[in-house]
Amino acid sequence: MALKIYNSYTRQKEVFQSITPGHVGMYVCGPTVSGESHLGHARPYITFDIVNRYLTHKGYKVRYVRNITDAGHFEEEGREAEDKVSKKALLEKLEPMELVQKYTNLFHWAMLQFNCVEPSIEPTATGHIVEQINMINKIIAAGYAYETNGSVYFDVIKYAATHDYGKLSGRVIEDLLDAGSREVLSRELEGQREKRNSADFALWKSAAPEHIMRWTSPWGEGFPGWHIECSAMATKYLGAEFDIHGGGMDLQFPHHESEIAQSTICNHQAPVRYWMHNNMITINGKKMGKSYNNVIKLTELFSGNHPLLTQAFHPMVVRFFILQSHYRSPLDFGSEALVASEKALKRLWEAFEVLGKLEIDNEQLATDNELNDKVLKMLNELEEFMDDDFSTAKVLANMFELAPVINSIKDGHVKTTALAGSTLTLMQQQFTFYLVDIFGLTSMVSDKNNTLQGVMELLIDIRKESKAKKDYATSDKIRNQLNTLGIAIKDEKDGSVNWDLN
RNA sequence: GGUUCUGUGGCCGAGUGGCUAGGCAAAGCUCUGCAAAAGCUUCUACAGCAGUUCGAAUCUGCUCGGAACCUCCA
């Protein structure tokens, strides 16, 4: 079956074909490490983790490049041309690179919590200044950039005359040039005068004296523009043309649009085959972001320490929450929605564990053909769903429909022989494949160590004896006290007793 | 103001012409010493109006609401 990917550039689903057979080059815009990651950041990295995992399991050798933006950008363009990272560094009286390191570590920690597979290469912007300067030189040589006062700008007008600037983001060049819109006035006031046109973007910025982060360049001391960073690193590690470029929808313009322009001039071809953009996580319908002051940091989410949270949420719950919607749809955050996801994930995971423990006779033929066919149909649909632009929500929906079948077999409502042994085996394989390998979910239960296991067996034993003697006061006391401690006792249909940490 | 997207049951959320999405919540039943867990059943919605069609949540138009981008942003 063929994988189809929605290409933001053409605005349609296209059959995926890699440029180099058997290999995929994927670039995803990474975090700006000037602050702590929040829930919104979780979405792209989880989304593209799924893409990475799925392509890998499709047999591709994926080179997944995700950068670290540690050079910083303008806080408020046109006013204080101050570097974001260095500004905060001054406030906190820290060496900029110390700050960068701190938030990079925190980001890596969060990725680990989410069980995201590490990218193949994680280049930093500051580590690729030379490449960026080289690229800018090429663009100047080609006549598509100009220098003013130690800064270099990309000539959008000239580019747009022969290229489709604005196609990715659905922008019309005339609109961009039209100064009639709201804030253009204020932006045009100061440094902006050095641009030939307001639509032009910076490739290199001359550094004001207070700037801590600065590098020597052919145009004087300064620092690179934001867009050139991604173009330079993507080109270096993935080549002039590569397969997939991912990122949040909010980066479409101007970031990705500008990347296309720069790379096209520099490398004489469009850089990306498939552009993929994930939608935003909203909170009360509004995008989560610093400017909206509605940020929930990942550390707050995992600890429950935030006014909007009723409790702490396990990273896997957040991951599952994100997978329950399609990556191109907006996803509205709410404590209630996360609680629902938590319960749902727990139920599905338990069914998965039950499934893994079923004893299967592979020679067994199905005695309930109708059910058997239904199960097979649902299992076979899973790949179809994933191939259809990564419809993780549909995969999960089918699994939820299969969960009662699994539980019924365990409880004896449905005979094990109802399904063919081969069907059960396939179900085990498919559940493991999607839940563990592709969705990257793990158990939420911390490891039950041997001591605890022994203590629990003892308690369960005592409770069994009390029940046998109809001493319910004792049996209930054990059950209720354990419950208070976060341990749930489950009496199974066959008389055995299981327990779980909540 | 411009461009683009969007509006699904109590809540979250799939779904782009005909077939019960799914989850959470709620109610009833089964199981159980009682619970929990699990199973079964019930709750059948698509902002409004008009149109196209044998048939529309799905296409078209209008109205109303919401969002993103146009400025750092996942």
Side-chain angles (χ1 to χ4, degrees), chain A residues 47-259:
Chain A
T47 297
F48 292 105
D49 183 47
I50 303 294
V51 173
N52 178 209
R53 284 165 179 267
Y54 194 61
L55 286 170
T56 300
H57 283 278
K58 279 252 167 198
Y60 291 104
K61 179 102 180 61
V62 182
R63 180 176 290 173
Y64 174 21
V65 180
R66 188 183 64 204
N67 69 294
I68 295 279
T69 299
D70 56 355
H73 312 299
F74 312 125
E75 184 78 281
E76 276 183 300
E77 200 174 49
R79 288 195 178 175
E80 307 281 336
E82 216 170 0
D83 188 86
K84 212 199 227 173
V85 171
S86 61
K87 184 180 181 184
K88 191 148 193 197
L90 280 169
L91 291 176
E92 300 190 5
K93 294 221 159 52
L94 278 173
E95 170 62 30
M97 287 318 283
E98 190 181 352
L99 198 65
V100 159
Q101 188 68 58
K102 176 181 161 190
Y103 289 122
T104 301
N105 290 157
L106 210 49
F107 172 72
H108 285 152
W109 170 81
M111 288 302 103
L112 201 65
Q113 299 304 302
F114 283 131
N115 195 27
C116 288
V117 173
E118 288 170 8
S120 334
I121 302 174
E122 195 172 46
T124 60
T126 54
H128 296 75
I129 300 295
V130 174
E131 285 82 353
Q132 296 178 68
I133 289 175
N134 285 343
M135 200 163 180
I136 296 169
N137 268 329
K138 278 192 192 172
I139 298 170
I140 293 175
Y144 282 88
Y146 56 90
E147 191 226 317
T148 341
N149 302 331
S151 294
V152 182
Y153 294 97
F154 187 89
D155 192 339
V156 172
I157 310 298
K158 181 166 181 186
Y159 177 81
T162 47
H163 299 81
D164 203 349
Y165 187 81
K167 184 176 175 189
L168 176 69
S169 54
R171 222 132 299 229
V172 183
I173 188 73
E174 285 75 23
D175 291 342
L176 293 169
L177 303 181
D178 184 17
S181 62
R182 307 173 295 156
E183 283 142 276
V184 170
L185 252 173
S186 63
R187 262 186 280 141
E188 269 198 347
L189 283 177
E190 294 165 47
Q192 299 309 103
R193 286 285 183 215
E194 52 187 45
K195 287 194 202 174
R196 286 186 193 159
N197 198 285
S198 60
D200 294 351
F201 57 86
L203 294 171
W204 187 265
K205 251 334 218 176
S206 158
E210 66 269 24
H211 261 270
I212 298 171
M213 281 192 161
R214 56 203 301 143
W215 291 267
T216 32
S217 79
W219 320 284
E221 295 236 321
F223 54 95
W226 176 34
H227 317 310
I228 197 74
E229 155 200 333
C230 285
S231 289
M233 292 188 280
T235 305
K236 175 165 184 179
Y237 297 112
L238 298 173
E241 190 191 24
F242 55 97
D243 298 294
I244 298 172
H245 189 131
M249 270 178 78
D250 51 349
L251 297 182
Q252 252 181 18
F253 189 89
H255 188 54
H256 294 331
E257 198 72 68
S258 303
E259 271 188 57

Side-chain angles (χ1 to χ4, degrees), chain A residues 108-403:
Chain A
H108 285 152
W109 170 81
M111 288 302 103
L112 201 65
Q113 299 304 302
F114 283 131
N115 195 27
C116 288
V117 173
E118 288 170 8
S120 334
I121 302 174
E122 195 172 46
T124 60
T126 54
H128 296 75
I129 300 295
V130 174
E131 285 82 353
Q132 296 178 68
I133 289 175
N134 285 343
M135 200 163 180
I136 296 169
N137 268 329
K138 278 192 192 172
I139 298 170
I140 293 175
Y144 282 88
Y146 56 90
E147 191 226 317
T148 341
N149 302 331
S151 294
V152 182
Y153 294 97
F154 187 89
D155 192 339
V156 172
I157 310 298
K158 181 166 181 186
Y159 177 81
T162 47
H163 299 81
D164 203 349
Y165 187 81
K167 184 176 175 189
L168 176 69
S169 54
R171 222 132 299 229
V172 183
I173 188 73
E174 285 75 23
D175 291 342
L176 293 169
L177 303 181
D178 184 17
S181 62
R182 307 173 295 156
E183 283 142 276
V184 170
L185 252 173
S186 63
R187 262 186 280 141
E188 269 198 347
L189 283 177
E190 294 165 47
Q192 299 309 103
R193 286 285 183 215
E194 52 187 45
K195 287 194 202 174
R196 286 186 193 159
N197 198 285
S198 60
D200 294 351
F201 57 86
L203 294 171
W204 187 265
K205 251 334 218 176
S206 158
E210 66 269 24
H211 261 270
I212 298 171
M213 281 192 161
R214 56 203 301 143
W215 291 267
T216 32
S217 79
W219 320 284
E221 295 236 321
F223 54 95
W226 176 34
H227 317 310
I228 197 74
E229 155 200 333
C230 285
S231 289
M233 292 188 280
T235 305
K236 175 165 184 179
Y237 297 112
L238 298 173
E241 190 191 24
F242 55 97
D243 298 294
I244 298 172
H245 189 131
M249 270 178 78
D250 51 349
L251 297 182
Q252 252 181 18
F253 189 89
H255 188 54
H256 294 331
E257 198 72 68
S258 303
E259 271 188 57
I260 293 176
Q262 295 162 346
S263 295
T264 302
I265 292 306
C266 198
N267 302 324
H268 313 294
Q269 62 179 312
V272 177
R273 278 275 182 91
Y274 303 89
W275 281 94
M276 290 182 70
H277 291 97
N278 63 275
N279 214 313
M280 302 291 102
I281 286 187
T282 59
I283 183 156
N284 294 323
K286 279 256 192 289
K287 172 185 168 184
M288 187 176 290
K290 266 186 193 163
S291 29
Y292 294 105
N293 232 324
N294 60 356
V295 168
I296 298 177
K297 292 175 189 163
L298 292 175
T299 47
E300 293 168 337
L301 197 59
F302 299 159
S303 68
N305 185 24
H306 190 281
L308 283 167
L309 298 172
T310 52
Q311 60 169 87
F313 290 101
H314 190 104
M316 283 304 127
V317 171
V318 179
R319 192 171 169 111
F320 182 79
F321 173 67
I322 287 171
L323 294 178
Q324 266 189 305
S325 70
H326 189 90
Y327 75 92
R328 282 188 286 112
S329 300
L331 175 58
D332 200 46
F333 164 85
S335 210
E336 240 182 273
L338 273 186
V339 169
S341 285
E342 183 183 79
K343 289 185 181 172
L345 173 58
K346 214 176 157 210
R347 200 166 89 85
L348 187 62
W349 196 262
E350 277 173 12
F352 169 55
E353 286 181 335
V354 166
L355 177 65
K357 286 178 194 152
L358 289 183
E359 280 174 31
I360 298 170
D361 172 11
N362 270 304
E363 304 302 309
Q364 176 70 49
L365 297 175
T367 55
D368 185 343
N369 282 315
E370 199 185 326
L371 183 66
N372 195 257
D373 290 348
K374 190 185 147 197
V375 169
L376 283 176
K377 179 173 171 280
M378 295 225 235
L379 290 175
N380 288 327
E381 278 172 343
L382 302 181
E383 188 183 2
E384 244 173 75
F385 294 155
M386 280 305 285
D387 278 344
D388 185 16
D389 197 28
F390 309 98
S391 297
T392 54
K394 284 178 156 188
V395 171
L396 288 173
N398 266 24
M399 288 187 160
F400 272 109
E401 287 206 66
L402 290 168

